[in-house]
Amino acid sequence: MRELPPTAMLRAFEVATRHPTFTAAAEELFITQSAVSHQLKNLEEIWGVQLFQRGKTLSLTPAGAALAPIVREFFSNLETTLADLREQKGRVRLRVNTTYSFALKWLLPRLPGLTRQHPEILVTLESTDDAITFSRQDSDVAIRFGHGNYPALHSEFMFREQLFPVASPALLQRFGTPQEPAELLRYPLLMRDGADLVPKWEIWFKQVGLTLDALQESVRFADTNMTLEAALLGQGVALARSGHVEKELRDGSLVRLFSVAFSSPAAYYFVCPQGIESQPHIVDFRRWLLAESRQAQQDYQ
């Protein structure tokens, strides 16, 4: 930190990297050309490196080229953070971590309701499929899909989805609408690759009384959104979780096949570090989230 120069010198350097002459840089900074030249000379002395090749036009030395993006990022981050802080005045930020598919399909469409009820809460959505431990304090709270085993964390049950096949109207027009689950075996079935929590066709067929040796498949998809997109494009029948196809079922772009009741073995849970669940803004978020979850659970019955 002893080699950290005054901000004015850093600003002069950042501006000078974007101009062909010190005179042009001085015009942007509203100071004289000699003041810019003096600040940059002092900066080079502090750092012990030459930053510019001086001539008719300026060019960065290798040292200057290495330092320029670091200094530019510093000012960019500073301006962004200050703007963010001004926006947050009178508001409290809440960092919510969940899976990308759940954030996109279930949480994001409901967030305007939270804003209407609690305009003081400024939500930042972060997504990852990895288990969150809060060890790095990178999020305040999380929504996780699992079996409720979250030791050393505060956790609350949210809701459990239903599993059912879905297909696009275009696919059903080509193949016809199946009347019995066994008929699905002549349809292209879209497979989702992944861990044990991922819905599997073999389990659904067992639920409806069909035991299969193996299913024919052509493509496995890496995530839920990709699988549903393939279903929307008419490439096959997907085994969907109810919370991920609400919009598509409403607008008719996907059709639910059969009314077989099959609850997902895993469910959604609100989790956070022990103790912070009683903070006022987290209490408000939890109440809103659990109210939305109760309504979803009723809708999925």
Side-chain angles (χ1 to χ4, degrees):
M1 298 301 292
R2 289 177 300 176
E3 295 182 350
L4 186 63
T7 305
M9 289 185 188
L10 292 176
R11 191 59 173 169
F13 172 62
E14 189 277 326
V15 172
T17 65
R18 296 187 278 102
H19 290 284
T21 64
F22 287 154
T23 300
E27 290 175 358
E28 180 177 332
L29 292 167
F30 298 102
I31 58 177
T32 65
Q33 181 271 343
S34 60
V36 173
S37 179
H38 181 69
Q39 286 180 340
L40 293 176
K41 182 178 179 181
N42 286 344
L43 183 61
E44 289 175 326
E45 291 176 353
I46 290 172
W47 279 345
V49 294
Q50 184 179 350
L51 300 172
F52 292 94
Q53 295 287 355
R54 292 159 173 82
K56 290 185 178 180
T57 59
L58 293 174
S59 61
L60 288 166
T61 64
L67 290 165
I70 297 172
V71 175
R72 190 172 298 122
E73 184 179 10
F74 164 75
F75 282 107
S76 175
N77 289 342
L78 180 62
E79 290 169 359
T80 300
T81 301
L82 286 172
D84 194 38
L85 289 171
R86 294 186 187 104
E87 180 187 356
Q88 291 181 50
K89 193 173 183 179
R91 306 179 74 186
V92 57
R93 181 173 294 280
L94 179 64
R95 295 169 299 174
V96 181
N97 188 293
T98 188
T99 62
Y100 178 76
S101 61
F102 181 79
L104 181 67
K105 294 294 188 177
W106 194 91
L107 185 56
L108 191 60
R110 289 171 165 82
L111 281 181
L114 174 67
T115 302
R116 286 191 295 270
Q117 289 185 34
H118 298 286
E120 75 282 2
I121 299 177
L122 185 60
V123 170
T124 297
L125 273 183
E126 302 164 346
S127 64
T128 177
D129 288 336
D130 298 329
I132 185 169
T133 62
F134 300 100
S135 59
R136 293 182 299 165
Q137 296 297 315
D138 49 356
S139 298
D140 300 309
V141 302
I143 299 168
R144 276 293 167 260
F145 184 62
H147 300 294
N149 182 27
Y150 303 104
L153 295 175
H154 172 87
S155 67
E156 295 178 69
F157 173 83
M158 289 173 52
F159 67 92
R160 193 179 303 275
E161 295 168 299
Q162 294 289 314
L163 302 178
F164 46 76
V166 295
S168 70
L171 183 84
L172 298 178
Q173 189 173 16
R174 293 202 312 271
F175 285 83
T177 301
Q179 303 302 311
E180 300 291 338
E183 294 180 37
L184 283 181
L185 295 175
R186 65 181 179 84
Y187 288 70
L189 301 180
L190 303 174
M191 304 291 184
R192 163 78 163 89
D193 201 4
D196 293 338
L197 297 180
V198 172
K200 292 181 172 58
W201 276 110
E202 292 88 342
I203 299 174
W204 185 85
F205 277 114
K206 185 177 180 180
Q207 177 74 12
V208 299
L210 295 172
T211 302
L212 308 175
D213 294 331
L215 289 173
Q216 293 185 357
E217 58 180 289
S218 56
V219 180
R220 277 185 177 263
F221 296 94
D223 60 47
T224 299
N225 295 322
M226 201 179 299
T227 308
L228 293 176
E229 185 64 26
L232 287 166
L233 292 172
Q235 295 180 8
V237 180
L239 185 57
R241 299 203 300 261
S242 49
H244 289 70
V245 289
E246 293 176 338
K247 174 182 178 296
E248 291 77 7
L249 294 180
R250 283 196 304 267
D251 64 24
S253 56
L254 287 177
V255 177
R256 176 176 177 172
L257 304 179
F258 313 113
S259 57
V260 177
F262 182 22
S263 296
S264 169
Y268 289 96
Y269 293 84
F270 169 88
V271 298
C272 67
Q274 290 280 3
I276 75 165
E277 72 276 4
S278 58
Q279 293 181 8
H281 67 295
I282 293 180
V283 169
D284 290 337
F285 177 74
R286 284 170 51 219
R287 287 175 177 168
W288 171 83
L289 184 66
L290 295 176
E292 292 291 329
S293 298
R294 286 192 295 271
Q295 183 60 56
Q297 187 73 72
Q298 293 175 13
D299 295 341
Y300 300 154
Q301 297 302 323

